[in-house]
Amino acid sequence: MADIERIVILTGAGISAESGIDTFRSAGGLWEQHKVEDVATPEGFARDPDLVLGFYDMRREALSKVEPNDAHRALARLEREFTGEVLLVTQNVDDLHERGGSRDVLHMHGELKSALCSSCEIRSPWDAPMADRPPCPVCQAPALRPDVVWFGEMPYQMDRIYAALLSADVFVSIGTSGAVYPAAGFVQEAKAAGVQTVELNLEPSEGTHHFADARHGPASVLVPAWVDEVLSD
């Protein structure tokens, strides 16, 4: 890990699962009760906005009952103590990185605690229900939707992410399945640019074979150990 100046980190559902956040695959969770196409696509929202708004209201309420874990806190420590650059990109829409101490988090799939107005297209911090159609804080139109990137929509700040990947010394993927693009392709972009690649995941992801260093186990164990390695060099 010597001579590292720029680190790009991608986190996925696995890092928040240890805090109790439902993943697509978790048994008995919110996602098991709904089809993805019904609650996580623009078409589903157009078809049944009440269902979608109620679903994300439940997710937002559930978020208030969980806490960051050691993996979130370790990444915040890395951001504070590393002398180079750290870009933390997350596929997660929760705020556990921020509550764990991270100050600069790029939410490529949006945020549960943000609302997007379909009328004026302005984003606003949001922590209340949307199912009762509250007015937009900016234009007053009853046109709010979750500021979450649904399937079929373009993730946020992709130009910044790709530029960072190509100039990084290390790319680390934490708690991701390697199944959802474009994030699943980040390791190949990094590898092609000669960037060191590390996977920290509960089990091998679909893209494990692309990583030069793949370590498997709980994020709350692997991430603090990896951060210790980086900061000790």
Side-chain angles (χ1 to χ4, degrees), residues 140-195:
Q140 304 303 308
L144 295 180
R145 56 158 277 186
D147 186 16
V148 170
V149 176
W150 289 324
F151 288 95
E153 297 181 326
M154 180 60 68
Y156 297 152
Q157 299 193 54
M158 291 304 297
D159 289 346
R160 181 185 173 193
I161 294 170
Y162 281 124
L165 278 173
L166 296 180
S167 64
D169 298 304
V170 180
F171 168 66
V172 187
S173 176
I174 302 169
T176 64
S177 66
V180 179
Y181 283 83
F186 288 174
V187 61
Q188 297 176 62
E189 296 281 344
K191 186 178 177 181
V195 178

Side-chain angles (χ1 to χ4, degrees), residues 2-44:
D3 300 323
I4 295 174
E5 295 182 0
R6 299 181 185 88
I7 301 173
V8 175
I9 299 168
L10 172 70
T11 66
I15 194 170
S16 293
E18 290 188 53
S19 290
I21 298 287
D22 286 334
T23 69
F24 281 121
R25 297 167 177 79
S26 59
L30 284 175
W31 285 104
E32 194 175 69
Q33 303 166 30
H34 301 279
K35 295 180 179 178
V36 170
E37 56 267 29
D38 289 338
V39 295
T41 64
E43 295 79 12

Side-chain angles (χ1 to χ4, degrees), residues 6-159:
R6 299 181 185 88
I7 301 173
V8 175
I9 299 168
L10 172 70
T11 66
I15 194 170
S16 293
E18 290 188 53
S19 290
I21 298 287
D22 286 334
T23 69
F24 281 121
R25 297 167 177 79
S26 59
L30 284 175
W31 285 104
E32 194 175 69
Q33 303 166 30
H34 301 279
K35 295 180 179 178
V36 170
E37 56 267 29
D38 289 338
V39 295
T41 64
E43 295 79 12
F45 184 57
R47 219 170 25 242
D48 193 343
D50 288 339
L51 173 67
V52 175
L53 293 175
F55 174 77
Y56 285 93
D57 284 352
M58 286 191 295
R59 291 191 70 191
R60 201 176 301 107
E61 182 181 2
L63 183 57
S64 67
K65 300 174 183 176
V66 300
E67 297 294 334
N69 60 57
D70 287 345
H72 296 106
R73 287 187 282 269
L75 293 179
R77 177 186 168 218
L78 179 68
E79 182 185 71
R80 289 193 309 270
E81 299 181 13
F82 184 62
T83 56
E85 297 176 14
V86 177
L87 176 62
L88 177 55
V89 180
T90 187
Q91 296 172 277
N92 301 332
V93 296
D94 61 64
D95 63 348
L96 293 180
H97 280 303
E98 287 88 348
R99 284 199 272 148
S102 291
R103 294 164 299 201
D104 185 16
V105 185
L106 194 165
H107 285 268
M108 64 179 291
H109 290 164
E111 301 179 63
L112 273 176
K113 299 182 77 170
S114 177
L116 173 62
C117 180
S118 300
S119 180
C120 69
E121 298 186 346
I122 292 177
R123 295 175 171 84
S124 303
W126 197 263
D127 203 18
M130 290 187 191
D132 56 354
R133 304 298 200 284
C136 169
V138 178
C139 73
Q140 304 303 308
L144 295 180
R145 56 158 277 186
D147 186 16
V148 170
V149 176
W150 289 324
F151 288 95
E153 297 181 326
M154 180 60 68
Y156 297 152
Q157 299 193 54
M158 291 304 297
D159 289 346

